């Protein structure tokens, strides 16, 4: 009964908030754009490049409002939420342009407000407010927990941990829980030990050579101020017989799991996800492809969970009054500049294949779904190299200092030309069952294969009399057109 009453109160609060925001949007049209992605997908770089391009008049031929000259100017404005940190746009831009370093990954929620002054297609001057909300994708994967009991989550998490690459990564944690009696008296020191082994397992799964994605609870990987708190001191347990007695270890873990949902997951959904209009999900597809079948399968499950977490559907006056709904979601395979342009469409088709089942369900509710391959900041240019069978499509750039490949350590200053390999023309070749489910990217030789996912420095840009030109990109304009182009008509 208490939960039912709590849900009614929460829905009333969301409806009230929706009424206020809907009324405001009638006079100040606003799009709240959520930007998320899993670790190393490039969220910070995407936002920085997008904002810089709008402020500086970047080369966006597919973004119709800018290509046609209808955008008069864009300017930054104070963000609306006083309790949310501001996205550090200026600092991140300094890192990209002056230091030629990639910004740190997203570790918390942040916001940035951009006002776009434009001429509508009937020649009236208008303004669109774009509120960009940046948040870690790992937190988004917590939302399915709201529909799971502790017992259901424990069973599913332990089942997954016994499959594929996860099985040996979970060894220490499995050893710890195998010796536990879940009906024994609650013990804080024991709870901390089990939670630490579980957290270590999640961190190991996220390492680049495994590149696993479905790793809730998200705050275990990005705890922030919650580190070492009871809210993060729980873990799945196995082998419960009957019901857990009061005061037992199982009962304590269940209570903390529920507290995690109530104190962390529900407020995150209520205050941020439920208020979004549009969403882009950045995906490091290449790293998963390089890691192999387990990483690909895990990424597919994670993307399905992400899409299922959104309250998707076509916005209308009625739906806006009662619960804002995300009506456009863009999945973007990032780091396309690590491939020659002949593989960009292939990368896009692979991502489409990964989200196809979940996208069909969202389409039924009226949401528009799209998938693209892109690079928010292009760090490479294209070249050709001679291979055993003729000329090969190559890329050229400056690897980050300290990167190693083929027995060579790079100095961060010298440019190199490499053959990155080709993606298959037919994406179904990657998803065939059996041992050939994923065969890897083709490469000219084993040495050249080592180079495939070198990290390159951001490009050097010359300052002109008009200032620093917009950062080079791949299909960033197409992303903008899909996400906000219709709101600038």
């Amino acid at each position: 009964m208490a939960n039912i009453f709590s849900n009614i109160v929460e829905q009333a609060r969301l409806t009230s908030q929706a009424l206020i925001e809907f009324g405001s949007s009638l006079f100040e049209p606003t799009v709240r754009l959520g930007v998320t992605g899993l670790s190393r997908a490039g969220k910070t770089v995407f936002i920085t490049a997008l904002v810089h391009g709008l402020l500086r008049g970047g080369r966006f031929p597919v973004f119709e409002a800018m290509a046609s000259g209808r955008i008069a100017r864009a300017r930054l404005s104070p963000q609306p939420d006083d309790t949310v940190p501001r996205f550090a746009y200026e600092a991140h831009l300094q890192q990209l342009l002056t230091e030629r370093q990639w910004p740190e990954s997203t570790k918390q929620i942040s916001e940035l407000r951009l006002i776009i002054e434009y001429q509508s297609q009937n020649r009236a001057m208008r303004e669109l407010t774009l509120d960009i909300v940046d948040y870690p994708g790992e937190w988004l994967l917590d939302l399915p927990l709201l529909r799971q009991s502790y017992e259901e989550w424990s069973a599913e998490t332990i089942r997954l941990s016994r499959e594929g690459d996860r099985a040996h990564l979970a060894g220490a944690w499995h050893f710890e829980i195998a010796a536990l009696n879940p009906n024994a008296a609650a013990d804080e020191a024991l709870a901390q030990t089990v939670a630490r082994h579980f957290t270590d397992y999640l961190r190991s799964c996220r390492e680049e050579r495994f590149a696993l994605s479905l790793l809730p609870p998200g705050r275990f990987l990005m705890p922030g101020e919650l580190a070492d708190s009871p809210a993060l001191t729980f873990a799945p347990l196995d082998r419960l017989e009957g019901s857990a007695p009061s005061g037992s270890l199982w009962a304590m873990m269940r209570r903390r799991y529920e507290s995690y949902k109530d104190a962390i997951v529900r407020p995150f959904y209520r205050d941020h996800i439920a208020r979004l209009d549009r969403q882009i999900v950045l995906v490091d597809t290449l790293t998963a492809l390089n890691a192999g079948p387990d990483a690909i399968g895990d990424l597919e499950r994670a993307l399905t969970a992400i899409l299922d977490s959104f309250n998707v559907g076509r916005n209308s006056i009625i739906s806006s009054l009662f619960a804002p709904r995300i009506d456009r979601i863009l999945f973007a395979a990032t780091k396309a500049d690590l491939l020659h342009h002949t593989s960009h469409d292939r990368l896009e088709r692979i991502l489409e294949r990964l989200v196809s089942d979940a996208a069909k369900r969202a389409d039924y509710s009226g949401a528009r779904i799209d998938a693209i391959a892109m690079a928010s900041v292009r760090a490479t240019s294209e070249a050709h190299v001679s291979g055993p069978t003729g000329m090969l499509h190559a890329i050229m750039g400056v690897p980050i200092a300290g990167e190693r490949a083929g027995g060579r350590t790079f100095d961060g200053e010298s440019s190199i030309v490499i053959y990155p390999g080709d993606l298959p023309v037919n994406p179904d070749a990657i998803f065939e069952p059996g041992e050939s489910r994923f065969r890897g990217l083709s490469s000219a030789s084993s040495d050249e294969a080592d180079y495939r996912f070198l990290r390159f420095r951001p490009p050097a840009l010359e300052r002109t009399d008009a200032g620093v030109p917009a950062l080079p990109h791949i299909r960033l304009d197409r992303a903008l057109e899909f996400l906000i182009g219709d709101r600038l008509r």
Side-chain angles (χ1 to χ4, degrees):
M1 181 65 70
N3 286 337
I4 295 175
F5 179 74
S6 176
N7 290 337
I8 293 174
V9 171
E10 181 62 20
Q11 185 60 50
R13 203 193 77 83
L14 283 173
T15 301
S16 175
Q17 176 178 283
L19 281 167
I20 294 171
E21 293 186 355
F22 178 74
S24 175
S25 68
L26 292 176
F27 302 97
E28 297 179 5
T30 301
V31 172
R32 286 184 64 84
L33 171 64
V35 179
T36 196
L38 302 175
S39 181
R40 300 181 297 271
K43 299 177 291 294
T44 303
V45 176
F46 170 80
I47 296 173
T48 303
L50 179 152
V51 173
H52 187 244
L54 290 174
L55 294 177
R56 302 295 304 175
R59 296 182 60 187
F60 293 153
V62 179
F63 185 33
E64 187 276 332
M66 180 166 282
S68 64
R70 292 194 295 107
I71 293 182
R73 69 165 182 152
R75 68 182 190 277
L76 293 173
S77 181
Q79 67 191 67
D81 298 315
D82 294 334
T83 59
V84 178
R86 181 181 183 273
F87 180 82
Y89 164 71
E90 293 81 5
H92 297 322
L93 186 64
Q94 174 80 4
Q95 286 180 289
L96 284 171
L97 295 180
T98 304
E99 302 169 21
R100 291 182 63 199
Q101 295 180 359
W102 300 109
E104 291 292 323
S105 300
T106 299
K107 292 184 173 61
Q108 62 179 2
I109 295 176
S110 63
E111 283 187 355
L112 194 68
R113 169 165 280 191
L114 195 67
I115 308 296
I116 302 173
E117 300 176 17
Y118 70 101
Q119 185 182 57
S120 68
Q121 292 181 335
N122 64 8
R123 300 187 179 278
M125 290 304 300
R126 296 177 179 171
E127 289 186 353
L128 176 69
T129 298
L130 180 63
D131 287 334
I132 302 172
V133 183
D134 175 33
Y135 63 95
E138 286 78 4
W139 295 6
L140 191 62
L141 288 173
D142 281 349
L143 296 184
L145 302 183
L146 296 176
R147 300 189 297 268
Q148 289 182 307
S149 68
Y150 174 71
E151 287 73 16
E152 292 169 335
W153 171 70
S154 287
E156 180 181 348
T157 302
I158 290 174
R159 179 186 60 78
L160 280 176
S161 73
R162 290 172 174 156
E163 298 177 356
D165 287 337
R166 291 176 182 260
H168 72 274
L169 296 175
W173 168 47
H174 284 169
F175 180 81
E176 190 69 32
I177 62 174
L180 290 179
N181 177 6
N183 289 327
D187 183 298
E188 184 62 39
L190 187 57
Q192 291 178 357
T193 299
V194 176
R196 183 175 68 252
H197 283 301
F198 177 59
T199 304
D200 290 343
Y201 153 70
L202 295 178
R203 289 185 180 132
S204 297
C205 289
R206 194 174 59 170
E207 290 180 9
E208 189 167 340
R209 57 182 170 150
F210 303 111
L212 298 172
S213 304
L214 193 60
L215 303 171
R219 298 309 199 284
F220 279 51
L221 295 173
M222 295 183 177
E225 72 280 1
L226 295 171
D228 300 322
S229 69
L232 301 189
T233 310
F234 66 91
L237 294 179
D238 203 5
R239 300 183 303 106
L240 176 68
E241 297 179 2
S243 59
S246 176
S248 66
L249 181 64
W250 186 284
M252 180 175 74
M253 293 292 191
R254 179 202 291 146
R255 185 183 69 252
R256 290 182 175 181
Y257 172 81
E258 294 297 334
S259 294
Y260 180 86
K261 293 197 295 183
D262 290 340
I264 297 172
V265 183
R266 283 192 174 89
F268 170 64
Y269 176 80
R270 176 192 67 216
D271 297 336
H272 303 286
I273 303 303
R275 299 170 59 198
L276 296 177
D277 303 302
R278 305 284 166 88
Q279 176 70 51
I280 181 169
V281 180
L282 305 176
V283 185
D284 187 1
T285 313
L286 289 178
T287 296
L289 287 171
N290 203 38
D294 282 356
I296 288 293
D298 204 69
L299 177 60
E300 187 171 19
R301 288 190 293 268
L303 294 176
T304 299
I306 285 174
L307 197 46
D308 285 346
S309 298
F310 293 129
N311 185 22
V312 296
R314 184 174 293 109
N315 262 319
S316 66
I317 292 179
I318 300 300
S319 66
S320 296
L321 287 176
F322 291 98
R325 297 169 67 86
I326 297 172
D327 60 357
R328 293 196 179 196
I329 302 175
L330 180 65
F331 289 92
T334 57
K335 305 178 185 178
D337 57 332
L338 300 185
L339 296 168
H340 190 270
H341 78 269
T342 51
S343 281
H344 292 172
D345 286 343
R346 302 175 187 181
L347 179 61
E348 186 170 298
R349 287 195 291 270
I350 288 171
L351 181 59
E352 287 174 346
R353 172 68 171 74
L354 285 170
V355 301
S356 60
D357 290 341
K360 289 174 184 175
R361 290 196 293 272
D363 283 343
Y364 182 77
S365 67
R368 286 194 59 187
I369 311 291
D370 200 1
I372 67 171
M374 62 174 285
S376 305
V377 174
R378 184 171 193 160
T380 66
S381 56
E382 296 189 345
H384 291 86
V385 295
S386 178
T389 59
M391 298 301 292
L392 300 172
H393 298 305
I395 58 174
M396 179 171 61
V398 179
I400 293 172
E403 286 284 286
R404 295 177 56 85
R408 178 182 175 187
T409 301
F410 299 100
D411 60 11
E413 300 295 334
S414 304
S415 179
I416 65 168
V417 177
I418 64 169
Y419 170 63
D422 295 319
L423 294 177
V425 175
N426 182 1
D428 289 340
I430 291 177
F431 299 96
E432 291 173 354
E435 293 182 356
S436 63
R437 183 169 181 258
F438 176 69
R439 294 189 294 270
L441 307 183
S442 62
S443 59
S445 71
S446 59
D447 286 342
E448 288 167 332
D450 288 340
Y451 287 126
R452 279 181 291 180
F453 296 120
L454 279 177
R455 295 179 301 160
F456 291 90
R457 295 185 65 188
L461 300 180
E462 294 184 6
R463 186 179 294 274
T464 65
D465 292 340
V468 178
L471 292 156
H473 65 87
I474 297 173
R475 298 178 178 175
L476 180 58
D477 51 343
R478 181 175 153 189
L480 274 168
E481 179 63 24
F482 178 80
L483 291 168
I484 64 172
D486 64 310
R487 302 298 295 271
L488 295 170
R489 298 289 189 254

